[in-house]
Amino acid sequence: MSRPLIGITTYFDAARWGTWVREAVLSPPAYAKAVDKAGGSPVLIPPLSLGAIDGYVRGLSGLILAGGVEVDPGAYGEERDERVEEPQPQRDRFELGLVRAAVQAGVPVLGVARGMHILNVALGGTLIRWLPEAVHHERHAASTPHVIQVSVSSKVGKAVGDRIEVAVPHHQALKRLGEGLLAVAWADDQIVEGVELQGHRFCVGVQWHPERGDDNRLVDALVEAAMP
């Protein structure tokens, strides 16, 4: 059986190799390693021309929207919070277009951290721009492990069970859910930490990083959904 091609979104940044320092297309290797471990073939997608999106969607069997800097609030009609690091509007535009096309085509999608935010905004949702202010505590911004409750009937729950311990700091979170998205995982303060698109064979977003560590079950589920 052929291994499904799983696209992984990337970003531009300065990188050093040898004596050179140049702008490069970057992706943490954990994503590609997790896809390979799950039986897929990883394909890195640079955030370039919007005209390339249809070709990617036709050629890919699945898509991972990778983590990274926060989504530009202008993408959902709000102003930037100066406490948040500088956005990457080119990446935002490309990934918003890419995930909309992937959803329309029925391509399996896994949104990771920022990737869940991109999925939500692409479907008309909004974000909490500075989470500590909204919940009146700093627990989400810390790297302290905490337990997430998961709906056992959801695709996320079927992959990881009814709870999972995670440790991923974040300063933003989902506010109004995008059209068709259903909350399927929550922190103890009821901040949404996982969503899935109703009626889609596999379109999931989670606030944590399932590609890290030894628990590969969500990436396994994405690759399984992408199998022909």
Side-chain angles (χ1 to χ4, degrees), residues 83-94:
R83 293 168 290 189
V84 178
E85 61 187 309
E86 192 74 24
Q88 298 173 334
Q90 179 181 1
R91 182 183 180 189
D92 290 345
R93 286 192 296 271
F94 181 83

Side-chain angles (χ1 to χ4, degrees), residues 27-77:
S27 171
Y31 293 104
K33 290 179 178 179
V35 168
D36 180 71
K37 181 179 178 182
S41 295
V43 178
L44 301 185
I45 304 175
L48 290 169
S49 170
L50 295 177
I53 286 175
D54 287 345
Y56 281 125
V57 169
R58 286 195 301 270
L60 294 173
S61 300
L63 174 66
I64 293 178
L65 298 167
V69 302
E70 283 84 355
V71 181
D72 185 352
Y76 49 93

Side-chain angles (χ1 to χ4, degrees), residues 3-124:
R3 294 164 66 97
L5 295 179
I6 308 297
I8 302 167
T9 60
T10 65
Y11 58 98
F12 294 122
D13 207 343
R16 179 188 297 273
W17 57 96
T19 60
W20 297 88
V21 178
R22 293 287 187 272
E23 186 178 47
V25 176
L26 297 182
S27 171
Y31 293 104
K33 290 179 178 179
V35 168
D36 180 71
K37 181 179 178 182
S41 295
V43 178
L44 301 185
I45 304 175
L48 290 169
S49 170
L50 295 177
I53 286 175
D54 287 345
Y56 281 125
V57 169
R58 286 195 301 270
L60 294 173
S61 300
L63 174 66
I64 293 178
L65 298 167
V69 302
E70 283 84 355
V71 181
D72 185 352
Y76 49 93
E78 297 188 16
E79 295 182 358
R80 182 175 169 236
D81 190 312
E82 294 301 322
R83 293 168 290 189
V84 178
E85 61 187 309
E86 192 74 24
Q88 298 173 334
Q90 179 181 1
R91 182 183 180 189
D92 290 345
R93 286 192 296 271
F94 181 83
E95 291 186 2
L96 288 167
L98 178 64
V99 71
R100 287 175 183 135
V103 167
Q104 181 67 29
V107 173
V109 174
L110 174 59
V112 175
R114 164 198 156 88
M116 179 177 73
H117 299 174
I118 281 285
L119 173 63
N120 190 57
V121 172
L123 297 177

